Amino acid sequence: MNYQLILDEISQEIQPLLHEGKVADYIPALADVNKNQFAMSITLFDGTTHNIGSTNELFSIQSISKVFSFTKALKIYRISLYNRIGKEPSGNPFNSLVQLEYEHGIPRNPFINAGAINVTDSLISHYKDASMAYEEVLSFIKAISEESSIYSNEIVANSEMLNGYRNMALANLMKSFNNLDNETKEVVQTYFKQCAIEMNTKMLSRSMLYLANRGVDPITNIRYISEPQAKRINAVMLTCGHYDASGDFAYKVGLPGKSGVGGGIVALVPNLMGICVWSPGLNEQGNSLVGTKALELFTTKTGLSIF
Ligand code: GLU
């Protein structure tokens, strides 16, 4: 298949949509990002990559990081992780408090904010130190993307902390239900640091290969997680990776994927490739508007959906 030609076509077809959507201005440090940007990368199992657009541009990975922290926590705690977090779609916005209240402080899944904050808490408890927990997530990301230069943008993390009332509320609510071990401020700060990691579409498409290949990185042959764990992470990405638009994403794109409010979306085609698309304009559910369209065009043109 001529993937480069397909990416070129997609880049042409999304142009009229680039002015639509809204950047994540609830995080002031992200409010000034130019929304007319687009990048898309795919990485195949032999390391071959195809790229279009600003694929060297670093952006805030935000909730894409939840895939990596969930991977670490699932590897450590196995099914006991589900004593504190569910694995069902929430059908609610990513930062909703309502459901968490009536479900007694147990977040629906690891990809809504409450769930990811809870995952971070579980990692802090395991490593007995917040910065160690963060460093472990960061070095995992560096390993799976084979990129040692990755860092977290302190300005973005601090900007979120200064305005993070809702995430603090989620953490406090979980703490009130005894479903958070550590101090809420420390947990939320660590979560924001992880969200503020910056990567580009090349690195992120590369980082999805372990999930596309049943837990083993096909380039380095390193096993990061077991095959059943990889299957489950992919399932949660498919059903919960786009918050209350997860059904829509499955319907239109048909791949396991995870979005972030920085405008990135990672996805994977099982047994074949990792994908990442980036465009900062978001739709109403907080997912990249152009990114979702680009992935829809990709699976339509290639026939590479899981359905
Ligand atoms: N750091 C963001 C928040 O907590 C992540 C949200 C997202 O990327 O969907 O609001």
Side-chain angles (χ1 to χ4, degrees):
M1 194 149 3
N2 190 337
Y3 291 122
Q4 194 58 51
L5 186 71
I6 291 168
L7 293 188
D8 291 345
E9 281 176 18
I10 292 171
S11 164
Q12 290 304 316
E13 288 171 40
I14 54 87
Q15 292 301 321
L17 293 175
L18 275 178
H19 65 280
E20 290 186 22
K22 186 172 166 287
V23 297
D25 55 6
Y26 77 98
I27 303 173
L30 295 183
D32 297 334
V33 176
N34 170 10
K35 128 177 131 171
N36 294 332
Q37 302 186 83
F38 174 74
M40 187 165 183
S41 299
I42 63 175
T43 305
L44 302 173
F45 278 19
D46 64 359
T48 308
T49 67
H50 297 281
N51 300 287
I52 189 84
S54 318
T55 54
N56 289 320
E57 194 73 29
L58 297 173
F59 59 89
S60 199
I61 70 170
Q62 292 295 323
S63 285
I64 294 173
S65 67
K66 295 171 181 174
V67 177
F68 309 127
S69 55
F70 178 43
T71 299
K72 291 288 294 179
L74 192 61
K75 189 179 161 91
I76 294 165
Y77 290 98
R78 301 167 186 237
I79 54 169
S80 71
L81 187 67
Y82 299 120
N83 295 335
R84 48 191 298 169
I85 310 165
K87 47 183 156 34
E88 290 291 340
S90 67
N92 272 295
F94 65 96
N95 54 8
S96 169
L97 280 150
V98 180
Q99 195 171 45
L100 192 61
E101 164 74 5
Y102 66 70
E103 296 190 350
H104 314 292
I106 311 275
R108 270 288 172 102
N109 66 65
F111 292 158
I112 51 172
N113 284 11
I117 291 168
N118 200 294
V119 164
T120 298
D121 180 58
S122 79
L123 292 174
I124 296 174
S125 296
H126 177 78
Y127 292 109
K128 301 188 171 52
D129 179 66
S131 32
M132 181 80 95
Y134 163 75
E135 287 300 333
E136 287 288 332
V137 172
L138 181 65
S139 52
F140 175 61
I141 294 175
K142 287 179 176 176
I144 55 174
S145 49
E146 282 196 300
E147 182 59 61
S148 57
S149 66
I150 297 168
Y151 61 90
S152 172
N153 183 325
E154 233 174 272
I155 296 171
V156 175
N158 291 341
S159 169
E160 270 213 270
M161 196 64 209
L162 279 173
N163 297 279
Y165 301 109
R166 185 168 274 271
N167 284 311
M168 280 301 290
L170 292 169
N172 281 317
L173 194 53
M174 287 189 284
K175 186 89 179 162
S176 78
F177 282 107
N178 285 325
N179 194 24
L180 209 79
D181 306 330
N182 300 285
E183 273 316 309
T184 51
K185 193 171 171 204
E186 179 180 62
V187 177
V188 172
Q189 236 157 3
T190 311
Y191 161 76
F192 285 148
K193 212 166 151 190
Q194 165 203 308
C195 287
I197 288 172
E198 298 197 333
M199 294 170 77
N200 60 32
T201 57
K202 285 180 182 164
M203 299 169 188
L204 280 164
S205 67
R206 166 71 183 87
S207 76
M208 284 295 104
L209 292 185
Y210 78 104
L211 288 174
N213 192 39
R214 301 159 199 260
V216 177
D217 185 319
I219 298 176
T220 60
N221 282 322
I222 297 171
R223 175 172 289 287
Y224 288 109
I225 39 164
S226 70
E227 186 169 338
Q229 286 170 337
K231 179 178 88 176
R232 286 169 187 142
I233 295 167
N234 287 338
V236 180
M237 284 171 78
L238 182 77
T239 55
C240 312
H242 285 73
Y243 312 120
D244 45 336
S246 297
D248 191 53
F249 187 81
Y251 182 85
K252 289 180 176 153
V253 179
L255 293 174
K258 180 76 202 84
S259 64
V261 292
I265 302 178
V266 289
L268 59 102
V269 180
N271 307 317
L272 195 63
M273 67 172 73
I275 310 175
C276 180
V277 57
W278 172 61
S279 188
L282 307 178
N283 63 21
E284 276 178 14
Q285 289 85 15
N287 303 310
S288 172
L289 188 145
V290 166
T292 308
K293 185 65 191 174
L295 287 167
E296 180 183 359
L297 288 168
F298 184 78
T299 52
T300 304
K301 286 174 188 287
T302 58
L304 289 174
S305 105
I306 61 168
F307 300 111

